[in-house]
Amino acid sequence: MGYHSHIGVLAFPFGSHAAPLLALVRQLAESSPGTCFSFFNTADCNRAILADHVSPNIKAYDVRDGAPEGAAAAASHMEAIRLFLAASPGNFEAGMEEAERAAGVGIGCLITDAFLWFAADLAANRRIPWVALWTAAACALATHMYTQEIVKAVASPAEATGESIQQVLSFTPPGLPPLQIADLQPEIFIDDRNPSPLAATINNMVEKLPKSTAVVLNSFEEIDPIVAQDLKSKFNHFLSVGPAALRRLPQPPPGDDSGCLSWLEKLPTPRSAIYVSFGTVIVPPENELLALAEALEFCKFPFLWSLKEAAAKALPEGFLRRTAEYGRVVPWAPQPWILRHGSVGLFVTHGGWNSILESICGGVPMVCRPFFGDQKLNGKMVEDSWKIGVRVRDGVFRKDETVRVLQRMMSSREGDDARENVVKMKEKAEKAVGNDGSSTKNFKKLLEIIGISK
Ligand code: U2F
């Protein structure tokens, strides 16, 4: 088929970055069958996220991941990121040339992960719009955009890493609760002499993002109205178009090889089960896995735990056998479907943004055990601002505290209050994606901006 326009999509192939970008592109592609979307991503990540049913007007291209030819997999997540960033943007430019030849139409707009700040220059050179998808929450973007003010509010740089991380900052971005250094993304406190590749990337992003045509988020304005209003003043367009998890989920769910949903189906009592998952990157340290397993075994609430196979080996001897009647441990679970299942009453999570949104969309309160990046701030917002869950005490799982927090959230007034609040938040999200809702309007604006309004 001949296409009248062509959009280049540049993915960041780590954590849960590329999947939400693909979800946005799917929605756009459905709205404009005459536009071709070329999706540039590494081969491994394409394999992981592309299902058979990608729209005909989305074409995926593999770009180099930067690993030396024939080398074994990168030693760490951070090393893989470093190699990939070193190969960018050359890897993407090569892909874009190939895609333009194949489509016979030049790329007229770039949609990229916000981390890929060099898209500002790629787009400027071609005189085309640059739309950046920020894959985390607006509150996390706000703290990055106020990096200078936050850093100034820390009396001495040593405090950012030292014993004063509990210090409450004298500056707070509009709409956020009072913050401690410990609540913030460590990348904000960049070491200028030796920045990590991710910190340097985020720093560049903060500088370039105001040049974008639009910043897009998988979120809804009503979750943090003051933050959204403030960020609108910082960008040409600031468009929350989610949550994507409220769209109709395909049936049957893909990736339910372990039969999680039929297991939930058999539970007699609504909201009786705990779902546990720490996203796509994190494996908690062994002592915490043990503490959490012992707490689940002690409490005897039905539980479903998505845990990578290698990590499951660290579970206590005999745990799976002893808990078989009321618990399941699986290597992967269809999370958005699970969180919308009526049998689930609590989500134990690392506080990744997609997980939080999916929990809101399911009306399920959370217990957060944040690990890195935006997760600490998300956990703080869950507990202090949105009041839809709590963080684990002292930031780590210990058996006795974990037993207490699970019991409080599953069978006390505190859990009921969090559930009421999360259901109210879900209603706001539903309104946002409904007719005339803020996210629906923002999505229409996005279609206009990228030149494919119907
Ligand atoms: C990074 O994200 P993560 O992958 O660590 O975590 P989430 O944002 O919560 O996304 C996890 C996704 O993986 C899905 C789940 C979410 O959409 O539904 N999933 C699943 O379907 N089945 C499973 O068994 C386990 C997970 C980063 F670590 C976070 O801090 C950021 O907030 C995030 C966005 O930038 O990226």
Side-chain angles (χ1 to χ4, degrees):
M1 163 173 180
Y3 292 108
H4 58 67
S5 57
H6 186 181
I7 292 180
V9 185
L10 277 50
F12 182 72
F14 301 99
S16 291
H17 277 249
L21 180 64
L22 181 63
L24 174 69
V25 168
R26 277 206 170 110
Q27 206 187 342
L28 293 169
E30 275 164 26
S31 301
S32 179
T35 302
C36 160
F37 293 81
S38 294
F39 189 82
F40 305 105
N41 190 15
T42 58
D44 281 354
C45 189
N46 267 339
R47 243 193 319 276
I49 65 168
L50 287 168
D52 304 335
H53 51 267
V54 168
S55 327
N57 52 335
I58 301 178
K59 180 155 171 34
Y61 289 86
D62 293 344
V63 301
R64 270 188 313 116
D65 60 9
E69 287 293 320
S76 69
H77 187 63
M78 273 303 157
E79 176 59 6
I81 292 179
R82 191 189 66 74
L83 290 169
F84 171 77
L85 290 173
S88 306
N91 51 355
F92 285 115
E93 286 174 303
M96 283 161 64
E97 279 166 27
E98 185 192 339
E100 287 181 317
R101 273 196 306 274
V105 193
I107 289 176
C109 173
L110 284 181
I111 303 180
T112 79
D113 191 292
F115 276 5
L116 304 180
W117 54 272
F118 46 77
D121 300 326
L122 296 181
N125 292 341
R126 290 168 171 253
R127 296 174 196 278
I128 59 176
W130 170 38
V131 173
L133 175 71
W134 172 249
T135 59
C139 55
L141 182 57
T143 54
H144 285 304
M145 296 314 293
Y146 282 100
T147 291
Q148 282 191 7
E149 290 80 353
I150 289 173
V151 170
K152 268 193 218 138
V154 176
S156 97
E159 287 174 29
T161 47
E163 65 287 353
S164 307
I165 55 171
Q166 311 297 342
Q167 173 201 342
V168 177
L169 294 177
S170 56
F171 170 82
T172 313
L176 296 187
L179 297 170
Q180 298 173 346
I181 296 172
D183 298 322
L184 290 165
Q185 307 88 306
E187 289 79 15
I188 288 180
F189 306 98
I190 186 171
D191 175 355
D192 286 331
R193 288 151 309 165
N194 187 21
S196 75
L198 197 57
T201 294
I202 291 175
N203 216 29
N204 286 328
M205 176 198 79
V206 168
E207 193 188 315
K208 297 284 188 182
L209 220 43
K211 296 190 202 302
S212 66
T213 316
V215 175
V216 176
L217 275 84
N218 176 22
S219 186
F220 53 108
E221 293 178 2
E222 292 74 8
I223 191 168
D224 278 320
I226 299 173
V227 177
Q229 205 49 44
D230 184 57
L231 288 176
K232 281 183 190 179
S233 71
K234 294 202 169 304
F235 301 117
N236 290 313
H237 289 281
F238 177 74
L239 304 172
S240 300
V241 299
L246 273 182
R247 269 183 242 117
R248 202 170 49 81
L249 298 172
Q251 295 297 343
D256 192 14
D257 303 342
S258 314
C260 297
L261 287 159
S262 52
W263 183 81
L264 283 176
E265 213 46 56
K266 290 193 197 111
L267 295 179
T269 319
R271 295 185 294 280
S272 58
I274 298 176
Y275 172 62
V276 184
S277 164
F278 302 105
T280 59
V281 184
I282 287 298
V283 176
E286 263 186 40
N287 60 326
E288 291 195 58
L289 285 177
L290 280 179
L292 176 57
E294 283 169 5
L296 287 167
E297 188 172 351
F298 181 89
C299 289
K300 300 212 161 30
F301 296 116
F303 70 86
L304 188 57
W305 188 348
S306 165
L307 184 64
K308 296 186 176 75
E309 233 150 14
K313 295 198 180 91
L315 292 172
E317 180 73 37
F319 171 78
L320 295 177
R321 183 178 34 79
R322 290 193 303 275
T323 57
E325 258 186 42
Y326 57 96
R328 294 287 299 269
V329 177
V330 299
W332 183 259
Q335 182 170 303
W337 285 259
I338 285 173
L339 287 167
R340 277 164 68 170
H341 195 286
S343 294
V344 176
L346 184 67
F347 182 18
V348 178
T349 169
H350 64 313
W353 180 237
N354 297 292
S355 292
I356 291 182
L357 271 183
E358 288 160 12
S359 210
I360 292 174
C361 295
V364 176
M366 284 155 264
V367 169
C368 300
R369 185 327 189 180
F371 286 86
F372 69 86
D374 57 334
Q375 295 159 13
K376 290 201 170 130
L377 182 61
N378 291 343
K380 175 159 182 89
M381 298 299 285
V382 161
E383 183 171 311
D384 291 355
S385 284
W386 306 324
K387 301 188 188 332
I388 56 178
V390 291
R391 289 167 291 184
V392 291
R393 185 177 270 190
D394 299 329
V396 292
F397 290 118
R398 290 200 192 87
K399 181 185 168 189
D400 292 350
E401 276 301 333
T402 307
V403 165
R404 270 194 281 277
V405 78
L406 296 181
Q407 288 176 336
R408 266 164 43 214
M409 294 303 285
M410 288 298 281
S411 38
S412 85
R413 184 71 229 164
E414 190 181 354
D416 293 344
D417 288 346
R419 190 163 298 112
E420 266 171 36
N421 291 338
V422 78
V423 167
K424 280 186 202 143
M425 192 67 92
K426 176 187 176 181
E427 286 163 4
K428 288 184 186 173
E430 281 170 340
K431 219 164 162 195
V433 296
N435 288 341
D436 285 335
S438 56
S439 291
T440 305
K441 285 185 187 151
N442 286 338
F443 186 73
K444 285 184 186 152
K445 186 81 206 168
L446 176 61
L447 290 175
E448 244 173 63
I449 287 171
I450 63 180
I452 58 172
S453 57
K454 286 189 273 186

